[in-house]
Amino acid sequence: MDFFPANEMQDYQIFGEFGGVNPSITDSATFTFMTTEKMQQCFEEEVEGCFLYSRHLNPMNKFLADQLKTMEGTEDAQVMASGLGAISTTLLQLCQNGDEIISSRTIYGGSYALMKNFFPRLGINTHFVDITDLEMVKSKITKNTKVIYTETISNPLLEIADLKTLRAICDEHNIKLVVDNTFSPLVVSPYKLGAHVVVYSLTKFVNGLNDCVAGAVCGTKEFVSSMRSVIDGAAMLLGPTMDPLRAASIFKNTRTLHIRMKQHSHNAMFIAENLEKAGIKVFYPGLKSHSQHDLITSMMNKEFGYSGVLTIDCKTKENANKLMMLMQDAKVGLFAVSLGYVKTLFSSPGSSTSSEIPEDVQKEMGMTPGLVRFSMGIDNDPNIALTRIKNCLKQINML
Ligand SMILES: *Cc1c(COP(=O)(O)O)cnc(C)c1O
């Protein structure tokens, strides 16, 4: 299967009202109708090209959603106010009181906290598993299981979920496979590999400029329409609506996503290879030493590399903390959570992005206190960052 998502996205063109190369922003919450029949029809069913109210759809939000559905090869998409807005509404659309989720335990801390701490209030319980252990996944399936939830590339140890095999497991039990592909847009196309629903935090690579939080849900027409249903749709009724002004700015940034992803990946590969060569323990799916290097290679669209996130082990929390401060002073990048920014960001997962995960579970996951996660930026010459990182590692006696 060859899929060229960047080529598909490049052909998506909507002209502005006066022929603008960018679509016009519809700065309206509500929309006028010329007949009473039409309004009634729009409440009863989705009518192509007909807009009701901006919590449901706004033209600019639809343009961005259409660009993202083109990226994923799905039938439809809906943009959301945040990644967690996309994740929570998707899971609530699929699950109700009494249902169970099987989730990878190495997921974004907020997603973990949502399923671990919040969903039990609604009677939705989650089994957290090592998603690379397929026997373990199967053993947790019950008649109440509705969803298997995973990230394509997980945080912070960059483990890979075998999406094709997970889909086969789902099919045997009528379960939906929901995949968070935030770490690997363009790199992996989960829907093509079997995911029923693909969710994104657009906040990261897809927007890439760190000027907003945003999310998206991509899936079949039937599923995405059900999310928007005025009667019982989670997106419509819980209301994590993106502002159309923001949709316009994200839309424009999708135009450069392929170039950015290539540079993020190029820089991450360069840093990962060279730090590993220098004797540092590095986790990066592009490295031959990564235990699932062959799996991810078989899943990838060829042109975009292995994405921009890598993790190193500095052995102790003290080392990790010192290193991050030194690197910020040396202009390697910025000490901040999040990823997929044009500049390099680094943070220590145990005390930040994965801090919602209890320490004993962190240990089980193979997380050690000295981890430092890098989201490599799109620097023109990664050798400059490499020299600076090595200097900082020398100052803490790691090199
Ligand atoms: C950041 C992130 C989220 C949450 O997205 P927000 O836009 O911050 O709500 C979900 N999943 C992953 C993998 C993330 O990195």
Side-chain angles (χ1 to χ4, degrees):
M1 171 218 64
D2 285 325
F3 182 52
F4 299 98
N7 300 0
E8 303 282 335
M9 287 171 88
Q10 151 187 316
D11 283 345
Y12 180 72
Q13 181 65 40
I14 294 287
F15 296 100
E17 196 179 352
F18 302 103
V21 295
N22 292 311
S24 301
I25 302 168
T26 303
D27 204 14
S28 281
T30 194
F31 300 85
T32 47
F33 284 81
M34 298 311 166
T35 66
T36 51
E37 292 79 14
K38 196 77 181 174
M39 182 183 279
Q40 188 173 347
Q41 187 195 0
C42 280
F43 268 93
E44 287 165 0
E45 60 184 336
E46 285 201 353
V47 181
E48 188 71 32
C50 214
F51 296 90
L52 202 58
Y53 185 64
S54 282
R55 178 156 34 77
H56 182 252
L57 268 181
N58 172 288
M60 190 61 237
N61 289 20
K62 186 174 181 327
F63 299 149
L64 175 59
D66 284 348
Q67 176 74 303
L68 297 170
K69 91 175 184 195
T70 307
M71 175 171 85
E72 286 309 298
T74 54
E75 291 170 13
D76 204 354
Q78 176 85 354
V79 295
M80 303 278 181
S82 71
L84 264 175
I87 295 164
S88 57
T89 50
T90 295
L91 293 175
L92 288 171
Q93 189 69 28
L94 294 169
C95 299
Q96 55 188 2
N97 185 6
D99 289 344
E100 293 173 14
I101 299 170
I102 297 172
S103 170
S104 164
R105 63 188 181 189
T106 46
I107 52 171
Y108 179 71
S111 311
Y112 181 87
L114 175 73
M115 285 180 257
K116 174 84 179 170
N117 305 329
F118 197 93
F119 279 179
R121 290 198 209 172
L122 309 176
I124 300 166
N125 288 306
T126 303
H127 301 281
F128 292 95
V129 299
D130 174 354
I131 204 72
T132 66
D133 181 349
L134 298 168
E135 289 310 312
M136 167 84 106
V137 172
K138 283 187 208 161
S139 76
K140 298 292 180 193
I141 295 173
T142 72
K143 62 178 189 342
N144 298 324
T145 309
K146 288 286 159 17
V147 167
I148 294 180
Y149 181 86
T150 189
E151 294 172 8
T152 312
I153 304 180
S154 73
N155 185 35
L157 293 175
L158 311 172
E159 291 170 337
I160 312 302
D162 181 349
L163 300 181
K164 275 189 185 164
T165 311
L166 287 168
R167 171 59 186 259
I169 295 171
C170 285
D171 282 346
E172 277 173 38
H173 302 273
N174 198 22
I175 295 170
K176 296 281 188 261
L177 179 61
V178 178
V179 177
D180 180 339
N181 198 45
T182 299
F183 273 48
S184 45
L186 298 180
V187 173
V188 176
S189 301
Y191 188 74
K192 296 283 176 187
L193 297 172
H196 291 94
V197 185
V198 185
V199 290
Y200 275 100
S201 169
L202 303 178
T203 313
K204 317 297 167 53
F205 289 107
V206 175
N207 183 54
L209 275 286
N210 237 296
D211 49 6
C212 66
V213 290
V217 176
C218 307
T220 61
K221 180 97 203 129
E222 184 191 2
F223 180 72
V224 178
S225 291
S226 78
M227 298 269 297
R228 280 195 294 262
S229 163
V230 296
I231 310 295
D232 60 2
M236 185 64 186
L237 301 178
L238 296 171
T241 310
M242 183 184 286
D243 187 279
L245 292 172
R246 185 52 80 186
S249 78
I250 298 172
F251 181 86
K252 284 174 273 189
N253 290 337
T254 65
R255 293 297 192 199
T256 55
L257 178 61
H258 58 298
I259 300 172
R260 288 186 281 111
M261 286 315 294
K262 285 178 192 176
Q263 192 69 16
H264 283 297
S265 293
H266 172 73
N267 291 357
M269 187 66 144
F270 181 83
I271 298 291
E273 278 182 335
N274 281 288
L275 289 183
E276 185 175 65
K277 233 181 261 166
I280 302 292
K281 173 84 191 141
V282 184
F283 301 88
Y284 183 63
L287 293 175
K288 297 240 161 45
S289 60
H290 188 286
S291 61
Q292 295 167 298
H293 175 74
D294 292 341
L295 174 63
I296 181 78
T297 304
S298 75
M299 288 165 57
M300 281 166 35
N301 297 317
K302 298 297 174 238
E303 309 156 79
F304 304 101
Y306 293 85
S307 195
V309 185
L310 63 112
T311 299
I312 66 169
D313 190 352
C314 297
K315 301 206 170 85
T316 65
K317 189 170 174 173
E318 292 66 38
N319 274 346
N321 288 346
K322 268 191 222 154
L323 179 72
M324 292 188 294
M325 289 302 104
L326 287 166
M327 289 196 303
Q328 181 155 258
D329 289 343
K331 296 193 161 60
V332 171
L334 306 170
F335 173 51
V337 295
S338 199
L339 58 124
Y341 184 38
V342 291
K343 298 199 84 166
T344 295
L345 302 178
F346 41 81
S347 59
S348 155
S351 40
S352 60
T353 47
S354 299
S355 62
E356 293 92 335
I357 302 171
E359 260 176 48
D360 53 319
V361 182
Q362 289 193 19
K363 213 176 255 169
E364 248 180 64
M365 285 162 44
M367 280 182 61
T368 48
L371 297 181
V372 174
R373 184 188 78 185
F374 290 78
S375 165
M376 294 311 299
I378 57 171
D379 296 6
N380 182 50
D381 179 4
N383 203 23
I384 297 173
L386 178 68
T387 307
R388 290 173 179 173
I389 295 169
K390 279 183 160 176
N391 271 334
C392 297
L393 284 164
K394 277 182 197 147
Q395 290 178 61
I396 59 164
N397 298 316
M398 294 268 315
L399 285 183

